[in-house]
Amino acid sequence: MSVQTAKKRVAILISGRGSNMVSLIEAARAPDYPAEIVLVLANRPDAAGLTRAREAGIPARAIDHKAFSDRTGFDAALQAELDAAGIELIVLAGFMRILTDAFVEAWAGRMINIHPSLLPLFKGTHTHERALEAGVRLHGCTVHYVVPELDAGPIVAQAAVPVLPGDDADALAARVIVQEHRLYPAALALIAGGGAVLDGGRVRLAETEHDAGAALISL
Ligand code: GAR
């Protein structure tokens, strides 16, 4: 007999088109998926992902960061929305706004991000251009817990893709995003279901989840 536990209440934070958000919303439709996407927030009113979320039936709101004089005010508004919706886990999906250390620390162990590189390589922006410049043969994406230092938190999952002759940044980005859409739902499922836990600054898989752990690595 399987024990049915409550689904984790998840908010997705976006800034743009929201393709990762869509892949998470679709995965979470499965009856046995351990997380429920209950809210989408964007820091830009023109984020295309807001419309996509509403079309999928998810409440979606913009909190325009330009309406706040500092990061603390914006983060307080964010926190109020998250509290009102009873959010347990935050998933950053193309959210391009730096959060205050205080906000990040308040959500320690309960906020994850996807980054378009094989961390710890190529933290920050323009990762595909920089991978090409560096001449690496493998590139990819990483799901990690968020800590105050940018793109530096414990790694949950990674997928690698080859860098092929003739690639430009767009071609490489197109290959990476396919993996992002597969990896992020798998990583969220393991975290929300308790199969992946933080342990001394690293992510440890529960012994019962070692098979599922294969979904967190892809070559
Ligand atoms: C994704 O490639 C994601 O990895 C990246 O932004 C893109 C968002 O696309 N995130 C970062 O660069 C975070 N530093 P999406 O809006 O279609 O999901």
Side-chain angles (χ1 to χ4, degrees), residues 14-21 52 93-96 113-116 124-125 127-128 141 151 176-177 180-181:
I14 62 167
S15 298
R17 65 188 169 179
S19 73
N20 276 291
M21 173 205 75
R52 301 176 82 179
F95 184 70
M96 303 308 278
N113 179 47
I114 191 158
H115 182 76
T125 56
T127 57
H128 308 306
C141 53
D151 302 327
V176 170
I177 198 89
E180 294 191 37
H181 294 165

Side-chain angles (χ1 to χ4, degrees), residues 42-180:
N43 65 307
R44 298 173 54 113
D46 61 352
L50 286 170
T51 310
R52 301 176 82 179
R54 289 180 194 124
E55 282 166 3
I58 312 287
R61 274 189 281 289
I63 304 175
D64 187 351
H65 68 265
K66 293 198 183 117
F68 298 88
S69 57
D70 59 13
R71 290 187 193 276
T72 305
F74 172 77
D75 286 3
L78 209 54
Q79 183 69 51
E81 288 280 355
L82 298 164
D83 287 344
I87 297 304
E88 299 172 281
L89 264 177
I90 299 177
V91 172
L92 306 182
F95 184 70
M96 303 308 278
R97 182 101 194 132
I98 306 246
L99 296 160
T100 59
D101 287 1
F103 183 93
V104 172
E105 271 151 18
W107 285 89
R110 299 182 297 147
M111 176 157 60
I112 57 174
N113 179 47
I114 191 158
H115 182 76
S117 78
L118 291 174
L119 290 173
L121 288 174
F122 312 124
K123 295 173 179 177
T125 56
H126 304 295
T127 57
H128 308 306
E129 287 87 343
R130 287 160 57 214
L132 289 169
E133 270 167 34
V136 293
R137 297 292 189 211
L138 285 174
H139 185 47
C141 53
T142 302
V143 177
H144 64 95
Y145 280 97
V146 179
V147 296
E149 190 185 337
L150 197 66
D151 302 327
I155 289 171
V156 181
Q158 290 189 302
V161 302
V163 179
L164 298 178
D167 270 353
D168 60 12
D170 287 346
L172 193 50
R175 199 170 304 122
V176 170
I177 198 89
V178 170
Q179 292 303 317
E180 294 191 37

